[in-house]
């Protein structure tokens, strides 16, 4: 997918948009922007960034393949969750509020690439249950913009 001669690690700006809905309630939309890195290794795209909060920081990694997205967060929030269409997956979510079991039923994954073959967006849709309670359906968009490298 990536031709030789390209930098292995790309600096990227990351826009995360999470939309959740439960029943007939209006959707709740959360947007966040980060700076991070994108690289491709052994058939998997890796997106790495740091979520900075007043209470501390969380190191986040999103592993993206055609049929699976894995979100790993360590720090103020800790979690590891796999999203695979048609497969229910389990994990845990640990924050200052405590630990919860996390189950997801992934409905869809869509990946987008630019003309050079670099990942530009990953979108995944899933139903979320925390501690066996239905929290709602989530649509997460992770949009990536590669930053130009200035050489002097």
């Amino acid at each position: 997918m990536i031709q030789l001669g390209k930098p292995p690690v790309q600096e990227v700006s990351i826009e995360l948009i999470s939309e959740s809905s439960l029943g007939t309630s209006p959707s709740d939309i959360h947007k966040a922007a980060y700076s991070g890195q994108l690289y491709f290794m052994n058939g998997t795209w890796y997106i790495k960034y740091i979520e900075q909060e007043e209470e501390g920081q969380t190191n986040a990694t999103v592993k993206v393949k055609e049929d699976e997205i894995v979100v790993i967060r360590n720090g103020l929030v800790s979690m590891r969750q796999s999203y695979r269409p048609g497969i229910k997956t389990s994990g845990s979510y640990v924050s200052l509020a405590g630990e919860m079991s996390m189950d997801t039923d992934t409905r869809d994954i869509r990946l987008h690439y630019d003309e050079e073959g670099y990942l530009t967006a990953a979108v995944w849709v899933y139903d979320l249950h925390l501690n066996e309670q239905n929290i709602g359906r989530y649509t997460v968009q992770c949009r990536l913009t590669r930053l130009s490298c200035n050489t002097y």
Side-chain angles (χ1 to χ4, degrees):
M1 197 172 280
I2 295 181
Q3 289 111 22
L4 295 174
K6 290 187 180 176
V9 176
Q10 298 285 315
E11 296 296 319
V12 290
S13 63
I14 302 161
E15 182 182 24
L16 282 176
I17 303 165
S18 176
E19 180 178 354
S20 62
S21 60
L22 181 60
T24 58
S25 303
S27 292
D28 182 31
I29 297 176
H30 177 76
K31 294 182 180 183
Y34 305 100
S35 294
Q37 292 84 36
L38 169 70
Y39 60 94
F40 186 78
M41 187 171 68
N42 298 328
T44 302
W45 288 98
Y46 291 83
I47 304 161
K48 292 180 157 259
Y49 60 95
I50 295 173
E51 300 172 1
Q52 188 67 50
E53 306 281 336
E54 284 184 27
E55 302 85 13
Q57 71 180 31
T58 299
N59 295 312
T61 302
V62 180
K63 295 168 60 175
V64 179
K65 294 194 274 191
E66 291 297 324
D67 61 346
E68 180 181 31
I69 293 175
V70 178
V71 177
I72 303 164
R73 296 163 77 197
N74 292 301
L76 194 60
V77 171
S78 293
M79 67 168 275
R80 179 186 178 97
Q81 187 67 31
S82 172
Y83 302 90
R84 299 178 66 195
I87 298 174
K88 292 184 178 174
T89 53
S90 297
S92 64
Y93 182 92
V94 181
S95 69
L96 294 176
E99 182 173 354
M100 293 181 276
S101 67
M102 182 174 165
D103 298 295
T104 57
D105 186 359
T106 305
R107 303 296 180 180
D108 191 25
I109 290 177
R110 293 186 306 277
L111 306 180
H112 303 274
Y113 303 91
D114 66 13
E115 63 281 350
E116 295 179 48
Y118 284 96
L119 184 70
T120 57
V123 180
W124 60 106
V125 181
Y126 61 94
D127 294 329
L128 174 64
H129 291 79
L130 291 175
N131 290 339
E132 300 180 7
Q133 180 180 355
N134 183 9
I135 303 301
R137 177 161 292 176
Y138 281 73
T139 301
V140 178
Q141 298 178 52
C142 178
R143 298 179 185 165
L144 306 169
T145 304
R146 286 189 292 142
L147 305 175
S148 57
C149 298
N150 294 326
T151 53
Y152 297 98

